[in-house]
Amino acid sequence: MNVFLRSRRKKFTNLLLILMLIPSLQACADLKEINNIAIVTATRIDMNNEGKIEVTIQLFLPQTISMSSQNPSQNNQFAVLTSTGDTISEAVNNIEKRVSRQLFRGHERAIIIGEKMASKHMNDVLDYCIRFREIRERTLLFVTKEPAPKLLQYAPFMEKNSGEILNKYVKKDGNLSMTLKDTVVMRANPSHSYIIPMVAILNPTKKGERQILKITQSALFSHGKMVGTMSNNLTYGQQILNHKFWQTVFSLKFKKDPGKVGINIQNVKAKITPIIHNGQWMIHAHITGDEVIFENTTHWSTTNLKTAERVDHAVGRIVSENIHRSVRKSQKVKSDVFDFYNTFYRKYPSECLKIEKNWSDVYPTIDVKVTTNFHLIHSGIAQ
């Protein structure tokens, strides 16, 4: 009898625990069926000639996957829609009214800002992106001069759409990558400066080649407006001082020698030291890195110690000149894309607070000194 009572009491206790846990269980309240959503892979935001906000979106078309496998000529797996409005959200809403499904931004690869919008209303774009909860902070940002539909209608031959190819480009060594989070964090300096890569469609140089969507340069921003551009080559200097550079390849040309040396520089590191002396603000940058010879068409032997020293000095001189030119370019438009303010603030907080409001005037006067120490670590099998 006691065994029977204990068994019933145990069952009753378990049932009571289950009933108590039911209210705490979470259901998928925000579940979205894939058949009811239109997946946005990329967005372009710009201003038209009438001053209206023009938004173009690229939609992923999953049904074309099976069609393209059966018929290779039908390989466009996306659709492009454009609409206008007084605000970005209104223009997006006008697009959504034209499709049968709800737009979903959770898988958006890139947001591309037109040059007109970037030059006047970049803060409006960032405000919209930050507030819209579906847009991920890892979404990539780009600037372009290309017309609205052209860029998103570009059909790459190796990827699904232009949004996907841009996502792959920034992962390649040497290319600048700026996410929404990176941009918001970077613009926290007093001059609200940041840098964003620019993309363009390049026409083929030879018959039979295809158009190429490529990162061509970088856009410099200050106080919410695009104030200038920087070439890809000079962007390397910005990446080195911001500890975001990994590797690249370039050629060396020595005097009195018709040949060239193909050099890969890698493992590049920068030690930045801010100095304030007698009212002069200075930055000392010590750059270190490794070199690998990919090609040598000169008469110099790469196993020779003197040749290695020549290569080391030549690479150091090129990197130093690149950084100086990059800094001067940003100082000319008063865009602190090197984040020098925070570099000084960590060592001289009181001095920085005094000139915070006038940082745009102080930044162009900063003197930058660069020292380098590169080493050849591999010259290949051949001499």
Side-chain angles (χ1 to χ4, degrees):
M1 186 68 179
N2 291 334
V3 175
F4 177 73
L5 290 175
R6 283 198 300 270
S7 177
R8 292 192 64 181
R9 188 181 296 114
K10 185 176 181 180
K11 290 180 179 179
F12 178 77
T13 304
N14 291 338
L15 179 61
L16 185 62
L17 288 173
I18 292 173
L19 292 174
M20 293 174 63
L21 289 173
I22 287 177
S24 64
L25 297 178
Q26 296 291 328
C28 297
D30 58 347
L31 177 66
K32 294 184 178 180
E33 292 289 345
I34 192 169
N35 292 332
N36 297 328
I37 61 174
I39 300 175
V40 179
T41 54
T43 302
R44 186 185 187 278
I45 304 172
D46 202 359
M47 292 184 65
N48 60 19
N49 295 331
E50 289 75 33
K52 291 274 190 177
I53 303 298
E54 185 176 73
V55 174
T56 303
I57 64 170
Q58 185 182 76
L59 295 177
F60 176 60
L61 302 179
Q63 66 270 19
T64 58
I65 297 178
S66 58
M67 294 173 58
S68 61
S69 61
Q70 297 174 4
N71 186 1
S73 63
Q74 297 179 355
N75 58 357
N76 285 349
Q77 299 178 14
F78 60 89
V80 177
L81 298 174
T82 302
S83 189
T84 60
D86 293 329
T87 61
I88 300 174
S89 54
E90 182 184 2
V92 173
N93 187 59
N94 290 336
I95 294 177
E96 191 161 16
K97 291 178 181 178
R98 296 163 53 190
V99 296
S100 59
R101 302 183 182 186
Q102 181 181 358
L103 298 181
F104 179 68
R105 312 287 290 276
H107 291 292
E108 193 165 16
R109 296 291 191 179
I111 295 177
I112 306 164
I113 302 99
E115 188 178 28
K116 288 183 180 179
M117 195 73 180
S119 300
K120 297 180 180 179
H121 304 287
M122 190 63 190
N123 283 340
D124 297 345
V125 176
L126 295 178
D127 180 81
Y128 168 77
C129 295
I130 296 169
R131 293 178 186 275
F132 200 86
R133 63 185 182 91
E134 277 188 359
I135 299 178
R136 299 175 302 168
E137 61 183 20
R138 298 192 304 273
T139 303
L140 297 166
L141 298 185
F142 298 92
V143 176
T144 186
K145 297 180 180 180
E146 298 287 349
K150 183 180 179 181
L151 195 67
L152 296 186
Q153 287 175 347
Y154 172 78
F157 58 92
M158 294 188 69
E159 306 298 340
K160 300 174 184 177
N161 49 58
S162 54
E164 187 68 26
I165 197 172
L166 290 174
N167 184 59
K168 296 287 181 67
Y169 264 136
V170 297
K171 295 178 181 178
K172 296 180 68 176
D173 298 323
N175 284 336
L176 175 67
S177 172
M178 287 296 289
T179 64
L180 176 61
K181 178 183 177 181
D182 295 333
T183 305
V184 172
V185 171
M186 192 174 186
R187 72 165 182 169
N189 58 63
S191 61
H192 305 292
S193 302
Y194 47 94
I195 183 171
I196 297 178
M198 296 186 69
V199 293
I201 297 177
L202 304 182
N203 292 321
T205 56
K206 297 181 181 179
K207 188 177 181 180
E209 292 184 347
R210 297 171 59 100
Q211 288 183 325
I212 299 175
L213 177 61
K214 186 181 179 182
I215 297 176
T216 55
Q217 55 186 341
S218 301
L220 304 179
F221 290 83
S222 179
H223 297 289
K225 296 181 180 180
M226 179 178 166
V227 293
T229 60
M230 182 182 289
S231 68
N232 276 344
N233 187 45
L234 293 186
T235 305
Y236 292 156
Q238 188 270 344
Q239 290 179 281
I240 290 174
L241 293 192
N242 281 275
H243 314 288
K244 293 183 178 180
F245 181 86
W246 173 237
Q247 68 171 6
T248 191
V249 178
F250 59 88
S251 300
L252 291 179
K253 180 73 170 66
F254 296 115
K255 292 181 179 180
K256 300 180 181 180
D257 196 306
K260 294 181 180 180
V261 178
I263 289 287
N264 168 250
I265 60 171
Q266 54 187 246
N267 302 325
V268 179
K269 298 179 181 178
K271 182 180 179 181
I272 313 298
T273 305
I275 302 169
I276 299 179
H277 181 68
N278 293 333
Q280 176 63 45
W281 295 56
M282 296 175 286
I283 286 285
H284 176 251
H286 182 63
I287 314 299
T288 61
D290 300 326
E291 309 153 356
V292 177
I293 293 181
F294 279 179
E295 182 181 3
N296 180 25
T297 59
T298 68
H299 70 273
W300 298 88
S301 172
T302 55
T303 59
N304 186 283
L305 182 60
K306 290 185 178 180
T307 302
E309 291 177 351
R310 291 189 69 185
V311 171
D312 293 343
H313 291 148
V315 170
R317 184 178 65 255
I318 291 175
V319 171
S320 177
E321 291 176 355
N322 181 280
I323 292 175
H324 279 116
R325 291 173 58 202
S326 181
V327 171
R328 287 196 295 268
K329 182 73 173 180
S330 69
Q331 288 179 327
K332 187 177 180 180
V333 294
K334 299 182 178 181
S335 179
D336 182 15
V337 295
F338 295 88
D339 201 21
F340 282 167
Y341 178 84
N342 287 321
T343 302
F344 278 102
Y345 184 85
R346 285 188 285 269
K347 188 175 181 180
Y348 306 99
S350 58
E351 286 83 350
C352 289
L353 290 175
K354 293 177 183 177
I355 54 88
E356 181 177 1
K357 294 181 179 180
N358 300 319
W359 179 248
S360 295
D361 297 324
V362 175
Y363 176 68
T365 66
I366 296 176
D367 186 24
V368 177
K369 299 185 182 298
V370 181
T371 57
T372 61
N373 188 15
F374 283 84
H375 293 288
L376 181 63
I377 61 172
H378 188 35
S379 59
I381 299 175
Q383 294 186 4

